[in-house]
Short mmCIF file of all heavy atoms in Angstrom, two decimals:
data_model
loop_
_atom_site.label_atom_id
_atom_site.label_comp_id
_atom_site.label_asym_id
_atom_site.label_seq_id
_atom_site.Cartn_x
_atom_site.Cartn_y
_atom_site.Cartn_z
N GLU N 15 22.32 92.82 66.73
CA GLU N 15 23.01 92.31 67.91
C GLU N 15 24.49 92.01 67.59
O GLU N 15 25.37 92.20 68.44
CB GLU N 15 22.30 91.02 68.37
CG GLU N 15 22.53 90.72 69.83
CD GLU N 15 21.79 89.47 70.25
OE1 GLU N 15 20.59 89.40 69.93
OE2 GLU N 15 22.41 88.59 70.85
N ASN N 49 34.08 79.24 65.31
CA ASN N 49 32.97 79.83 66.13
C ASN N 49 32.88 81.33 65.94
O ASN N 49 32.92 82.13 66.89
CB ASN N 49 33.21 79.47 67.60
CG ASN N 49 31.93 79.61 68.43
OD1 ASN N 49 30.85 79.36 67.93
ND2 ASN N 49 32.08 80.03 69.67
N SER N 50 32.66 81.68 64.68
CA SER N 50 32.55 83.13 64.31
C SER N 50 31.17 83.44 63.79
O SER N 50 30.64 82.67 62.96
CB SER N 50 33.61 83.46 63.27
OG SER N 50 33.40 84.77 62.73
N ALA N 76 22.49 75.85 54.18
CA ALA N 76 23.78 76.12 54.85
C ALA N 76 23.57 76.33 56.36
O ALA N 76 24.38 75.87 57.17
CB ALA N 76 24.43 77.37 54.24
N ASP N 97 21.48 98.08 43.99
CA ASP N 97 21.53 99.34 43.28
C ASP N 97 20.17 99.95 43.00
O ASP N 97 20.05 100.93 42.28
CB ASP N 97 22.29 99.15 41.93
CG ASP N 97 21.67 98.15 41.04
OD1 ASP N 97 20.66 97.51 41.46
OD2 ASP N 97 22.16 97.94 39.88
N ILE N 115 22.16 99.18 50.32
CA ILE N 115 21.77 99.98 49.20
C ILE N 115 22.91 100.94 48.90
O ILE N 115 23.32 101.75 49.77
CB ILE N 115 20.41 100.77 49.42
CG1 ILE N 115 20.10 101.70 48.24
CG2 ILE N 115 20.37 101.52 50.76
CD1 ILE N 115 19.75 101.00 46.96
N ARG N 161 41.10 112.06 45.47
CA ARG N 161 40.64 112.57 46.76
C ARG N 161 39.11 112.75 46.78
O ARG N 161 38.50 112.58 47.79
CB ARG N 161 41.33 113.91 47.10
CG ARG N 161 42.85 113.77 47.21
CD ARG N 161 43.44 115.08 47.57
NE ARG N 161 43.21 115.43 48.97
CZ ARG N 161 44.00 114.96 49.96
NH1 ARG N 161 45.05 114.22 49.73
NH2 ARG N 161 43.72 115.34 51.20
N HIS N 163 36.93 110.99 45.75
CA HIS N 163 36.13 109.75 45.97
C HIS N 163 35.99 109.44 47.45
O HIS N 163 35.16 108.59 47.80
CB HIS N 163 36.80 108.60 45.27
CG HIS N 163 36.60 108.58 43.78
ND1 HIS N 163 36.45 107.45 43.03
CD2 HIS N 163 36.51 109.62 42.93
CE1 HIS N 163 36.27 107.76 41.78
NE2 HIS N 163 36.33 109.09 41.68
N TYR N 164 36.85 110.03 48.28
CA TYR N 164 36.77 109.63 49.68
C TYR N 164 35.50 110.12 50.33
O TYR N 164 34.90 111.11 49.90
CB TYR N 164 37.98 110.28 50.43
CG TYR N 164 39.32 109.73 50.00
CD1 TYR N 164 40.35 110.60 49.63
CD2 TYR N 164 39.56 108.36 49.94
CE1 TYR N 164 41.58 110.15 49.27
CE2 TYR N 164 40.78 107.88 49.55
CZ TYR N 164 41.80 108.76 49.21
OH TYR N 164 43.04 108.28 48.84
N PHE N 173 23.65 112.06 57.10
CA PHE N 173 23.21 110.90 56.32
C PHE N 173 22.60 109.85 57.20
O PHE N 173 21.52 109.31 56.94
CB PHE N 173 24.42 110.35 55.55
CG PHE N 173 24.05 109.22 54.57
CD1 PHE N 173 23.53 109.49 53.34
CD2 PHE N 173 24.24 107.91 54.93
CE1 PHE N 173 23.16 108.50 52.44
CE2 PHE N 173 23.89 106.87 54.08
CZ PHE N 173 23.35 107.17 52.82
N GLY N 178 18.43 106.66 58.56
CA GLY N 178 18.13 105.62 59.54
C GLY N 178 18.92 104.30 59.26
O GLY N 178 18.55 103.24 59.79
N GLY N 243 50.41 78.75 35.17
CA GLY N 243 49.86 79.20 33.87
C GLY N 243 49.05 80.46 33.90
O GLY N 243 48.56 80.93 32.88
N LEU N 246 48.71 87.11 36.47
CA LEU N 246 48.24 88.22 37.27
C LEU N 246 49.44 89.07 37.62
O LEU N 246 50.35 88.61 38.35
CB LEU N 246 47.59 87.72 38.60
CG LEU N 246 46.32 86.85 38.46
CD1 LEU N 246 45.80 86.47 39.84
CD2 LEU N 246 45.23 87.62 37.66
N GLU N 247 49.49 90.27 37.10
CA GLU N 247 50.68 91.12 37.31
C GLU N 247 50.33 92.34 38.14
O GLU N 247 49.24 92.91 37.98
CB GLU N 247 51.23 91.55 35.95
CG GLU N 247 51.95 90.40 35.24
CD GLU N 247 52.23 90.66 33.78
OE1 GLU N 247 51.82 91.77 33.30
OE2 GLU N 247 52.85 89.82 33.13
N VAL N 265 35.88 100.08 62.49
CA VAL N 265 35.32 99.27 61.43
C VAL N 265 34.78 97.98 62.07
O VAL N 265 35.44 97.29 62.83
CB VAL N 265 36.38 98.91 60.35
CG1 VAL N 265 35.93 97.76 59.46
CG2 VAL N 265 36.62 100.16 59.47
N VAL N 282 42.62 75.27 41.97
CA VAL N 282 42.10 74.55 40.77
C VAL N 282 43.21 74.46 39.72
O VAL N 282 43.47 73.41 39.12
CB VAL N 282 40.85 75.23 40.22
CG1 VAL N 282 40.49 74.67 38.84
CG2 VAL N 282 39.67 75.07 41.19
N LYS N 315 40.23 85.06 62.35
CA LYS N 315 41.24 85.39 63.41
C LYS N 315 41.73 86.81 63.25
O LYS N 315 41.84 87.54 64.23
CB LYS N 315 42.42 84.39 63.33
CG LYS N 315 42.03 82.98 63.77
CD LYS N 315 43.29 82.08 63.65
CE LYS N 315 42.93 80.63 63.89
NZ LYS N 315 43.99 79.72 63.48
#
Side-chain angles (χ1 to χ4, degrees):
E15 203 178 312
N49 200 32
S50 170
D97 61 356
I115 176 69
R161 300 182 73 86
H163 285 215
Y164 295 129
F173 186 80
L246 298 181
E247 286 166 357
V265 164
V282 169
K315 290 181 187 164

